[in-house]
DNA sequence: ATAGGGTTAG
C-alpha cells in the first residue's frame, strides 16, 4: 500500500479522537513510529488525546515524554483528559510538572486545574492557582472565573466566591447559578433564591444545570423542603427533570420521610424510562429505606436491569437501616460469591450494619476480610469499626485502627477522633482516650460528649464536669447527649447536689427539655442518696409517661435503701412495662428478703418461674447471701440470723439439686453502693457477667473466658475479685498479664510479643478480650514457657 | 483542547 494513502488513513483515525477505537489508536501509534512522522507534534498530540480519551494514561504519559521538547499543547491535552475522567490528583501533578519543564501554562487550562482543586477540595492549592492566574497577567475570562466561583463554593468559602463574582467584568448564566447554588449550600435560602431570580431578570435563563445545582445545594445544607420546592418550581417553569434532578431530589424526599411524593417521583421515573439510571436506582432504594418501606427496597433493586455497585451498596445500607441485618449479610455474601468488585463503601456499609446491631465480632472479621480483599479502609470505615472494638474490649484491634489512622493521615478527622475516644474509654484506657481528645485539632459536640461519656463510664465525675465547662468555654453548646453523660457521671459519683443543679439548669439555661433518659439519671442520682420520695415526686411531675429505665432506677434505689413501699410501686409498673425482664422480679424479691418477708419473696420468685424466666435459683442465693453479708457487717435491723441461715441452706440444697453453682454477683452490689469504690466503673451489670461466667466456667480445666466484656479498668476489677475471693489469679487481657496474690499484683506486658495478639493474624483467637487463668488449672502448652517466666 | 448539576458508608 502506498505510503500517502496510509498516511491519509492514519490522519483520518487521529482526527476521530473521541470515536476511534483503542486498537486503531495502537495501529496509528505503530504507524507513526514506523514512518517516522512521529516527529510531527500535531499528530502525536492527536494520538495522545486518543489515548487519553480511552483512559490509557500510561500510554499517554509515555507519549508525552517522547516529545523532543516540552509541548504546551500536549500537556494541556492530557490535563483536560485527567480532569474529564475525575483523575484530579493526576491533573495537579501534571500541572506542577509543566512548570518544572519550563512551560508557562496559559489561561485555557485553568478551568480544568481549578475543577480538579474543587474535586479534591484543596483550598490552598486552588488559591495558589488563582493567584498564579492573577499575578502572571493571564486573562481570566468568565470560564475561569465561573470555575473559581464553583471552587470557592465547594470549599465553603462563600465570601471569596462572592469576591470573584463581584469583580467579574462580564457575567453569564453559569456565574449567576454557581453563586446561587453557593448560597443554597450554605442554607441561606433567601439569598440563594434572590441571586437565582436576579440572574433570571438580567436575561440569563437558568438551564437544567442551574436548577439541579440549586436542588443539590439545598440538599447539602439540609434544606430538604426547599430542595423539593425547587424541583417542583422547575417543573412549573416548564423544565423537564432529568436524571440528575431526580437523583438530587430523592435524598431530600427520603429525609423528609414523604413517601407520598416519593411514590409520585418513582412513577415519574418509570414513565420517563429513567429506571436504567444507576444513580436514580440507588437514590430510590435509599428513599424507600428512609421511609421504612423494607419490601420496596428489595423490589426496586430486583426490578433493576443493570448490576450496579452503588445500588448494591444502597440495598445493603437500606436493609441495615430497617434492621434486616441477616438479610443484608446474606446479600453481601451473595455479591461476594458473584465475584462482584465490592468497594470501600460496600464494606463500610456492611461493617456499620454489624456494629450498629450488636454483631461486633462479625464487624471485626469483616474489617479484616476487607483488607485481605485488598480494599483500603478510609476515614469513614474507622469510626464504623471502632465501636465494635470498644464493645468487646478488643484493645489490640482498636490500637491497630489507631495506628492505621495515623499512617493514613485521617486521624485529624473529627469522626475518627471521637470514635477513638469512645473506643479507648470502652476498653478501660481513659488516659489514652484523653490524649486522643487533647490532640484533636477540631472538635464537635460528638467529640466533647464522647470524652464526657468516657469519664462518666469510669466514674470520674469531676473530670466529666470539667470537660463540660471547657466545652462551653470553647463555644460549643451542649446538647441532649451532653446532659445524659453529665448527669450519669454525677449520679455514679454520688454528686447529688451538682447533678440536681445541672438537671434544673438544663431547660432553664440551655433550653433543652429533659428526656426520659435524663429522668432516669436524676431518679438514680436522688435514689442513691436515699432521697427516694423526692425521686418519686419527680417521676410524678413528668409531662410524659416514664419508661422502664426510670422505674428501674427507682426500684434499684429502693433495693439499696430497703424501701418496700416505693419499691412495690416501681415494681408494679415494671411488671406491666417489661413482664419478661427477670431483673425486676429479682430486685423486688431482694427487698422482701432484706425485710425477712420470705413468703412475699417466694411469691415473686414463683411468678418469675411461672413466666419461665429464670430457672436458676442463684438469684435467690444472692438475696440471702447478701443479707448474711449485711448482718456480718453489723446491720442489726435484720431478722434473726438463724432464720436466714436456714433459708440459705434450703436454697443451696435447691441449687445443688438443679446443678447450679453459687453465684457471687452480690459482691458488686456491696462495693458499688456501700464502699463507694469506683473501681467497678459503675457498670455492675457488666461485672455481674464476669462473676457469672467465672462460675459457669468453673468446671472447665482451663478457665478461659472468651469475649468477656469488662467496662473500665480490667486490672482493678480483677484485683477486686482476687482480694475478695482471697485467691491467686492470673489474668491476661489484650496486651498485659496480671498476677494477683495476697493483695499484691505484678504486671507484665510480654503478651504483646505473643504472636497470637498480633493483629489480624488469627482474629478468632485475638477476639478474646480477657482470659482468666487460675493457678489450679492447666496452662496451654504453647504458653507454658511464658507462664514459667512469670511465676 | 476550556466552566456549572447526581446515588450509596460515619
Amino acid at each position: 500500500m502506498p505510503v500517502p494513502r496510509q498516511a491519509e488513513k492514519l490522519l483520518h483515525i487521529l482526527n476521530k479522537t473521541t470515536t476511534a477505537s483503542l486498537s486503531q489508536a495502537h495501529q496509528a501509534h505503530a504507524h507513526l513510529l514506523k514512518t517516522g512522522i512521529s516527529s510531527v507534534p500535531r499528530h502525536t498530540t492527536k494520538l495522545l488525546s486518543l489515548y487519553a480519551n480511552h483512559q490509557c494514561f500510561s500510554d499517554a504519559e509515555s507519549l508525552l515524554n517522547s516529545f523532543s521538547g516540552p509541548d504546551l499543547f500536549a500537556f494541556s491535552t492530557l490535563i483536560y483528559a485527567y480532569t474529564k475522567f475525575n483523575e484530579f490528583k493526576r491533573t495537579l501533578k501534571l500541572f506542577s510538572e509543566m512548570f518544572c519543564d519550563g512551560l508557562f501554562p496559559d489561561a485555557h487550562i485553568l478551568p480544568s486545574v481549578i475543577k480538579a482543586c474543587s474535586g479534591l477540595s484543596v483550598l490552598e492549592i486552588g488559591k495558589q492557582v488563582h493567584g498564579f492566574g492573577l499575578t502572571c497577567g493571564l486573562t481570566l475570562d468568565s470560564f475561569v472565573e465561573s470555575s473559581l466561583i464553583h471552587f470557592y463554593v465547594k470549599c465553603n468559602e462563600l465570601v471569596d466566591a462572592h469576591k470573584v463574582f463581584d469583580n467579574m467584568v462580564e457575567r453569564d448564566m453559569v456565574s449567576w447559578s454557581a453563586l446561587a447554588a453557593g448560597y443554597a449550600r450554605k442554607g441561606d435560602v433567601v439569598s440563594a433564591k434572590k441571586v437565582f431570580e436576579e440572574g433570571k431578570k438580567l436575561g440569563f435563563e437558568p438551564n437544567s444545570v442551574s436548577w439541579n445545582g440549586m436542588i443539590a445545594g439545598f440538599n447539602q445544607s439540609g434544606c430538604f423542603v426547599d430542595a423539593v420546592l425547587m424541583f417542583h418550581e422547575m417543573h412549573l417553569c416548564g423544565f423537564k427533570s432529568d436524571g440528575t434532578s431526580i437523583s438530587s431530589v430523592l435524598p431530600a424526599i427520603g429525609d423528609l420521610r414523604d413517601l407520598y411524593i416519593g411514590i409520585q417521583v418513582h412513577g415519574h421515573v418509570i414513565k420517563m424510562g429513567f429506571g436504567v439510571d444507576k444513580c436514580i436506582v440507588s437514590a430510590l432504594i435509599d428513599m424507600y429505606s428512609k421511609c421504612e418501606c423494607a419490601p420496596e427496597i428489595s423490589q426496586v433493586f430486583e426490578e433493576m436491569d443493570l448490576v450496579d455497585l452503588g445500588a448494591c451498596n444502597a440495598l445493603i445500607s437500606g436493609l441495615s437501616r430497617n434492621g434486616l441485618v441477616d438479610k443484608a449479610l446474606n446479600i453481601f455474601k451473595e455479591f461476594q460469591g458473584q465475584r462482584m468488585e465490592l468497594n470501600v463503601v460496600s464494606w463500610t456499609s456492611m461493617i456499620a450494619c454489624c456494629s450498629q446491631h450488636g454483631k461486633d465480632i462479625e464487624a471485626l472479621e469483616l474489617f479484616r476480610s476487607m483488607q485481605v480483599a485488598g480494599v483500603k479502609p478510609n476515614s469513614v470505615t474507622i469510626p464504623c469499626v471502632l465501636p465494635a472494638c470498644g464493645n468487646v474490649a478488643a484493645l489490640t484491634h482498636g490500637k491497630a485502627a489507631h495506628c492505621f489512622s495515623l499512617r493514613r493521615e485521617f486521624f485529624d478527622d473529627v469522626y475518627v477522633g471521637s470514635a477513638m475516644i469512645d473506643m479507648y474509654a470502652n476498653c478501660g484506657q481513659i488516659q489514652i482516650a484523653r490524649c486522643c481528645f487533647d490532640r484533636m485539632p477540631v472538635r464537635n459536640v460528638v467529640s466533647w460528649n464522647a470524652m464526657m461519656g468516657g469519664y462518666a463510664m469510669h466514674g470520674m465525675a469531676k473530670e466529666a464536669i470539667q470537660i463540660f465547662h471547657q466545652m462551653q468555654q470553647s463555644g460549643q453548646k451542649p446538647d441532649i447527649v451532653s446532659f445524659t453523660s453529665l448527669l450519669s457521671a454525677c449520679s455514679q459519683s454520688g454528686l447529688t447536689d451538682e447533678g440536681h443543679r445541672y438537671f434544673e439548669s438544663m431547660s432553664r439555661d440551655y433550653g433543652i427539655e429533659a428526656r426520659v433518659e435524663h429522668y432516669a439519671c436524676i431518679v438514680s442520682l436522688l435514689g442513691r442518696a436515699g432521697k427516694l420520695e423526692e425521686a418519686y415526686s419527680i417521676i410524678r411531675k413528668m409531662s410524659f409517661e416514664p419508661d422502664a429505665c426510670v422505674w428501674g432506677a427507682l426500684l434499684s434505689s429502693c433495693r439499696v435503701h430497703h424501701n418496700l413501699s416505693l419499691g412495690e410501686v416501681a415494681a408494679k409498673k415494671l411488671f406491666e412495662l417489661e413482664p419478661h425482664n427477670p431483673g425486676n422480679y429479682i430486685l423486688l424479691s431482694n427487698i422482701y428478703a432484706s425485710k425477712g418477708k420470705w413468703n412475699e419473696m417466694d411469691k415473686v420468685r414463683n411468678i418469675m418461674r411461672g413466666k419461665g424466666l429464670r430457672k436458676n435459683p442463684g438469684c435467690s442465693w444472692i438475696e440471702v447471701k447478701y443479707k448474711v453479708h449485711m448482718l456480718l457487717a453489723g446491720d442489726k435491723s435484720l431478722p434473726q440470723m438463724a432464720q436466714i441461715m436456714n433459708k440459705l441452706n434450703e436454697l443451696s440444697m435447691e441449687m445443688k439439686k438443679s446443678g447450679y453453682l453459687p453465684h457471687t454477683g452480690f459482691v458488686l452490689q456491696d462495693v458499688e453502693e456501700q464502699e463507694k469504690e469506683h473501681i467497678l466503673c459503675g457498670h455492675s451489670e457488666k461485672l455481674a457477667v464476669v462473676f457469672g461466667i467465672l462460675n459457669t466456667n468453673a468446671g472447665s480445666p482451663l478457665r478461659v473466658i472468651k469475649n468477656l466484656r469488662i467496662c473500665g479498668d480490667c486490672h482493678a476489677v480483677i484485683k477486686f475479685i482476687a482480694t475478695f475471693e482471697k485467691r491467686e489469679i492470673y489474668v491476661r487481657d489484650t496486651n498485659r498479664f496480671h498476677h494477683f496474690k495476697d493483695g499484691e499484683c505484678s504486671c507484665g506486658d510480654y503478651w504483646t510479643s505473643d504472636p497470637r495478639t498480633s493483629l489480624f493474624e488469627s482474629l478468632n483467637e485475638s477476639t478474646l478480650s480477657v482470659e482468666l487463668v487460675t493457678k489450679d488449672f492447666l496452662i496451654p502448652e504453647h504458653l507454658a514457657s511464658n507462664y514459667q517466666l512469670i511465676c
Side-chain angles (χ1 to χ4, degrees):
Chain A
M1 200 182 270
V3 173
R5 270 197 65 192
Q6 279 215 346
E8 202 178 288
K9 192 181 164 197
L10 173 76
L11 287 176
H12 183 67
I13 293 173
L14 288 176
N15 275 329
K16 296 199 300 183
T17 47
T18 46
T19 54
S21 73
L22 190 57
S23 72
Q24 283 177 316
H26 283 129
Q27 282 174 41
H29 194 175
H31 201 78
L32 281 179
L33 294 171
K34 207 169 107 190
T35 54
I37 53 170
S38 59
S39 54
V40 181
R42 192 163 51 94
H43 293 151
T44 320
T45 310
K46 283 276 185 195
L47 181 60
L48 194 153
S49 161
L50 226 168
Y51 276 138
N53 274 312
H54 281 97
Q55 300 184 57
C56 292
F57 298 129
S58 56
D59 285 333
E61 290 235 5
S62 65
L63 211 54
L64 184 69
N65 292 328
S66 74
F67 276 82
S68 47
D71 186 300
L72 183 65
F73 207 77
F75 264 96
S76 307
T77 304
L78 195 49
I79 284 180
Y80 298 140
Y82 278 152
T83 296
K84 183 173 162 190
F85 293 108
N86 297 333
E87 295 282 346
F88 301 134
K89 282 188 178 167
R90 291 184 165 175
T91 303
L92 296 185
K93 192 164 169 269
L94 200 58
F95 182 65
S96 68
E97 277 170 17
M98 279 179 80
F99 290 92
C100 300
D101 283 9
L103 278 175
F104 195 76
D106 61 16
H108 291 292
I109 57 163
L110 289 188
S112 288
V113 179
I114 295 163
K115 189 183 176 187
C117 295
S118 310
L120 296 169
S121 297
V122 282
L123 180 62
E124 287 311 313
I125 300 178
K127 276 184 176 175
Q128 283 180 34
V129 176
H130 188 183
F132 159 78
L134 291 174
T135 49
C136 295
L138 300 187
T139 316
L140 304 187
D141 58 6
S142 68
F143 271 55
V144 179
E145 286 173 312
S146 295
S147 58
L148 277 169
I149 295 175
H150 178 248
F151 161 72
Y152 283 120
V153 162
K154 180 86 196 292
C155 294
N156 290 319
E157 300 288 335
L158 190 54
V159 177
D160 286 327
H162 219 299
K163 268 186 211 161
V164 176
F165 181 84
D166 289 339
N167 290 330
M168 283 178 84
V169 181
E170 206 175 330
R171 300 189 186 99
D172 56 17
M173 184 259 295
V174 178
S175 30
W176 283 98
S177 36
L179 188 67
Y183 277 115
R185 272 178 72 104
K186 283 275 178 191
D188 186 344
V189 183
V190 177
S191 307
K193 288 192 175 164
K194 205 176 128 200
V195 173
F196 195 73
E197 291 302 323
E198 246 174 84
K200 260 198 205 169
K201 261 187 226 156
L202 291 170
F204 299 113
E205 266 304 308
N207 62 13
S208 60
V209 178
S210 322
W211 287 103
N212 295 342
M214 291 291 276
I215 296 170
F218 283 133
N219 237 346
Q220 192 104 32
S221 55
C223 302
F224 303 124
V225 174
D226 296 286
V228 177
L229 286 177
M230 212 69 200
F231 181 76
H232 184 60
E233 202 183 320
M234 176 181 173
H235 281 256
L236 289 183
C237 293
F239 279 91
K240 279 187 181 156
S241 47
D242 59 9
T244 306
S245 32
I246 291 174
S247 46
S248 304
V249 80
L250 278 170
I253 296 170
D255 281 314
L256 293 170
R257 309 271 185 281
D258 199 326
L259 187 58
Y260 182 69
I261 299 182
I263 291 174
Q264 285 183 53
V265 173
H266 190 179
H268 184 68
V269 167
I270 296 170
K271 205 170 93 189
M272 303 296 287
F274 285 143
V276 290
D277 186 310
K278 295 169 180 180
C279 291
I280 291 181
V281 172
S282 305
L284 269 176
I285 294 174
D286 189 57
M287 182 276 291
Y288 278 120
S289 91
K290 282 176 184 157
C291 294
E292 294 169 18
C293 300
E296 281 77 3
I297 301 173
S298 308
Q299 199 188 333
V300 173
F301 184 79
E302 279 156 21
E303 282 172 0
M304 170 182 68
D305 289 334
L306 59 135
V307 182
D308 173 55
L309 188 55
C312 297
N313 295 344
L315 178 67
I316 292 167
S317 72
L319 293 171
S320 162
R321 187 163 9 219
N322 285 272
L324 302 166
V325 188
D326 291 327
K327 196 168 179 192
L329 263 170
N330 286 338
I331 285 176
F332 183 82
K333 282 177 192 152
E334 219 174 276
F335 289 154
Q336 271 184 307
Q338 292 165 4
R339 297 183 177 274
M340 177 113 70
E341 291 259 333
L342 298 172
N343 67 4
V344 62
V345 177
S346 337
W347 285 96
T348 306
S349 309
M350 199 61 250
I351 291 172
C353 173
C354 287
S355 72
Q356 284 162 7
H357 292 92
K359 291 185 178 284
D360 301 309
I361 302 298
E362 284 87 344
L364 290 174
E365 278 175 357
L366 279 165
F367 186 61
R368 182 185 61 99
S369 312
M370 169 182 190
Q371 292 170 83
V372 171
V375 180
K376 279 187 183 166
N378 65 12
S379 63
V380 181
T381 319
I382 300 297
C384 293
V385 76
L386 282 177
C389 299
N391 285 340
V392 297
L395 184 59
T396 314
H397 291 74
K399 280 183 175 172
H402 187 168
C403 297
F404 184 84
S405 312
L406 288 169
R407 275 204 306 280
R408 291 289 304 276
E409 290 178 349
F410 41 68
F411 194 67
D412 286 351
D413 184 297
V414 68
Y415 288 101
V416 173
S418 308
M420 207 66 77
I421 295 170
D422 208 46
M423 180 277 292
Y424 277 120
N426 270 315
C427 290
Q429 303 288 337
I430 192 70
Q431 291 87 353
I432 306 183
R434 181 58 194 257
C435 289
C436 292
F437 177 78
D438 287 339
R439 284 176 194 179
M440 284 180 85
V442 181
R443 299 186 188 109
N444 64 12
V445 68
V446 180
S447 338
W448 289 98
N449 289 349
M451 195 64 244
M452 249 198 291
Y455 278 134
M457 181 192 294
H458 285 254
M460 298 163 81
K462 277 182 194 150
E463 287 81 355
I465 291 171
Q466 203 183 10
I467 293 286
F468 181 71
H469 290 296
Q470 278 178 19
M471 172 181 184
Q472 289 168 85
Q473 279 159 15
S474 81
Q476 176 65 59
K477 280 187 186 162
D479 68 357
I480 289 174
V481 182
S482 320
F483 278 97
T484 314
S485 300
L486 185 68
L487 292 175
S488 103
C490 292
S491 158
Q492 284 173 35
S493 301
L495 297 178
T496 316
D497 295 338
E498 286 88 340
H500 206 178
R501 272 207 303 277
Y502 287 125
F503 181 76
E504 283 180 342
S505 82
M506 198 164 92
S507 67
R508 191 187 57 216
D509 304 332
Y510 299 92
I512 298 173
E513 284 311 313
R515 287 210 308 213
V516 70
E517 59 266 32
H518 302 113
Y519 278 102
C521 285
I522 194 75
V523 167
S524 154
L525 177 110
L526 294 168
R528 273 165 202 258
K531 300 183 174 180
L532 294 168
E533 288 297 340
E534 208 176 316
Y536 184 46
S537 93
I538 285 191
I539 296 180
R540 275 182 303 184
K541 277 188 221 151
M542 281 172 68
S543 57
F544 47 92
E545 272 306 303
D547 73 351
C549 292
V550 176
W551 289 115
L554 184 65
L555 182 59
S556 312
S557 310
C558 289
R559 201 261 296 127
V560 176
H561 296 283
H562 319 296
N563 186 322
L564 184 56
S565 56
L566 276 183
E568 281 176 327
V569 172
K572 197 179 162 211
K573 290 280 183 187
L574 281 165
F575 295 161
E576 285 168 20
L577 290 168
E578 323 176 301
H580 299 290
N581 182 352
N584 301 326
Y585 300 95
I586 294 173
L587 283 171
L588 182 62
S589 60
N590 247 314
I591 304 177
Y592 284 130
S594 74
K595 297 282 179 192
K597 296 187 177 247
W598 307 113
N599 288 340
E600 281 83 352
M601 188 190 98
D602 281 335
K603 244 188 246 170
V604 179
R605 282 178 59 214
N606 287 336
I607 297 174
M608 205 171 88
R609 284 186 178 172
K611 290 184 185 287
L613 283 179
R614 189 183 284 190
K615 289 174 186 142
N616 186 346
C619 49
S620 306
W621 169 271
I622 303 172
E623 297 147 20
V624 179
K625 206 171 170 193
Y626 173 66
K627 284 300 113 193
V628 173
H629 189 77
M630 292 279 287
L631 194 70
L632 295 174
D635 187 345
K636 303 293 178 201
S637 65
L638 290 167
Q640 288 299 308
M641 180 72 175
Q643 197 188 346
I644 293 171
M645 288 313 288
N646 284 341
K647 192 72 190 173
L648 185 75
N649 289 331
E650 191 187 306
L651 279 164
S652 86
M653 290 300 287
E654 197 183 319
M655 284 174 77
K656 277 183 190 161
K657 257 191 267 168
S658 329
Y660 286 100
L661 290 155
H663 193 300
T664 43
F666 73 96
V667 178
L668 308 165
Q669 297 162 359
D670 291 336
V671 169
E672 203 184 14
E673 323 310 348
Q674 298 185 355
E675 296 165 32
K676 301 289 177 202
E677 286 230 24
H678 293 291
I679 55 169
L680 300 182
C681 315
H683 279 243
S684 61
E685 71 282 0
K686 288 192 180 175
L687 283 158
V689 175
V690 177
F691 288 91
I693 297 174
L694 260 175
N695 286 308
T696 48
N697 278 291
S700 87
L702 177 66
R703 284 190 177 189
V704 175
I705 297 157
K706 293 191 179 186
N707 303 328
L708 178 62
R709 298 172 184 209
I710 290 191
C711 195
D713 187 347
C714 159
H715 188 81
V717 170
I718 306 300
K719 183 179 171 185
F720 176 74
I721 300 172
T723 316
F724 186 82
E725 301 208 334
K726 292 194 182 55
R727 64 175 186 190
E728 197 176 353
I729 296 185
Y730 296 88
V731 181
R732 175 209 152 152
D733 66 18
T734 37
N735 63 343
R736 283 209 298 184
F737 186 89
H738 312 262
H739 176 202
F740 300 89
K741 191 182 179 184
D742 301 330
E744 293 294 312
C745 68
S746 54
C747 290
D749 55 1
Y750 75 94
W751 290 98
T752 44
S753 59
D754 179 347
R756 298 201 314 160
T757 55
S758 64
L759 180 68
F760 307 135
E761 281 190 1
S762 56
L763 201 121
N764 282 330
E765 290 273 312
S766 56
T767 48
L768 310 179
S769 47
V770 177
E771 290 181 3
L772 274 173
V773 186
T774 66
K775 196 154 181 226
D776 327 328
F777 300 113
L778 297 170
I779 295 293
E781 219 173 276
H782 67 287
L783 298 178
S785 57
N786 291 335
Y787 183 77
Q788 292 294 323
L789 271 174
I790 286 293
C791 293

